[in-house]
Amino acid sequence: MANIIRGAFTHSGDEVIVRNHAYVLGSRLGVALLAIVALATGIASSSAAVGAGFLAIPVLCGLFGYTMHTFGRHLSIRLNPHGLVLENGPVRHEFAWWAAPTLTLGRGLELNVPGGRWPVHSSAFPFSAGAAVADFAGHRQVLADIDVARRDLRERFPVDAGADSWPQYRSRVRMPDLWLLPAMMIAAEACYALGVALSR
């Protein structure tokens, strides 16, 4: 049970990105499964339903595929020279280093700042019954690994408190990688069309 929660650490420039390994793997498998579903639906479709399928399959597979991609890639914890970011899908919670943000283990991983009104929870590493049974061993390991990355980053970059520094806290809403939605719709339609062609 202790290995259910595991962090997938990657680097993008000076930024360290931590994702839930299970979410990353699950999203990739889910997108692949949608392609198979689109292909199989095309093969199994009747002549009367082919036209409706060309409309419904791209929309449904595109929306589900984009959601899975967001779930796997944009539920993360990010550390960069300016501060720490909890990326919860389309919502980004940004905390400046000078505000002394700390990640702790509560109901999953959560971030606190001195004087803050409440902790901000990480959707990448939430509470789960399985993790609780394992005494949050996976969460604790991720937290320890993040602390090592944080200390390494802070040694290389001093605390940024100048004119270009982040505010203590800010929250942003954005739709990440939105270009993938039409791309996935086109790919789903191509899989469906191939299925239709194979069935005729």
Side-chain angles (χ1 to χ4, degrees):
M1 295 292 290
N3 292 326
I4 289 177
I5 300 296
R6 197 173 67 187
F9 285 71
T10 57
H11 292 78
S12 177
D14 293 323
E15 186 173 55
V16 179
I17 306 168
V18 190
R19 300 183 177 95
N20 188 315
H21 186 267
Y23 290 179
V24 172
L25 181 60
S27 69
R28 290 174 180 171
L29 292 175
V31 170
L33 181 61
L34 285 174
I36 295 171
V37 167
L39 179 66
T41 303
I43 293 173
S45 63
S46 65
S47 298
V50 167
F54 274 109
L55 176 63
I57 292 298
V59 171
L60 294 175
C61 288
L63 289 173
F64 277 112
Y66 178 76
T67 301
M68 289 179 184
H69 166 81
T70 301
F71 191 74
R73 186 167 179 82
H74 294 286
L75 297 183
S76 68
I77 298 173
R78 296 170 179 259
L79 300 86
N80 63 50
H82 296 288
L84 190 149
V85 179
L86 294 187
E87 188 179 33
N88 292 342
V91 181
R92 287 171 57 96
H93 301 280
E94 301 177 351
F95 298 83
W97 287 124
W98 63 263
T102 56
L103 272 171
T104 57
L105 179 59
R107 291 188 61 81
L109 295 189
E110 53 191 34
L111 195 143
N112 295 272
V113 293
R117 290 177 293 174
W118 55 75
V120 178
H121 299 276
S122 168
S123 297
F125 299 96
F127 170 85
S128 70
V133 169
D135 194 30
F136 296 99
H139 286 75
R140 295 179 198 280
Q141 184 60 55
V142 170
L143 197 58
D145 293 342
I146 288 175
D147 190 56
V148 170
R150 178 191 62 80
R151 283 188 274 115
D152 177 67
L153 191 69
R154 300 310 316 133
E155 287 176 1
R156 291 188 293 121
F157 298 97
V159 174
D160 183 5
D164 296 328
S165 67
W166 283 3
Q168 179 184 27
Y169 167 76
R170 64 186 173 191
S171 178
R172 299 182 178 189
V173 178
R174 66 185 183 91
M175 297 301 291
D177 300 333
L178 197 56
W179 62 271
L180 272 174
L181 179 57
M184 287 186 173
M185 292 175 69
I186 292 169
E189 186 155 21
C191 289
Y192 179 75
L194 177 60
V196 171
L198 291 173
S199 68
R200 299 300 180 259

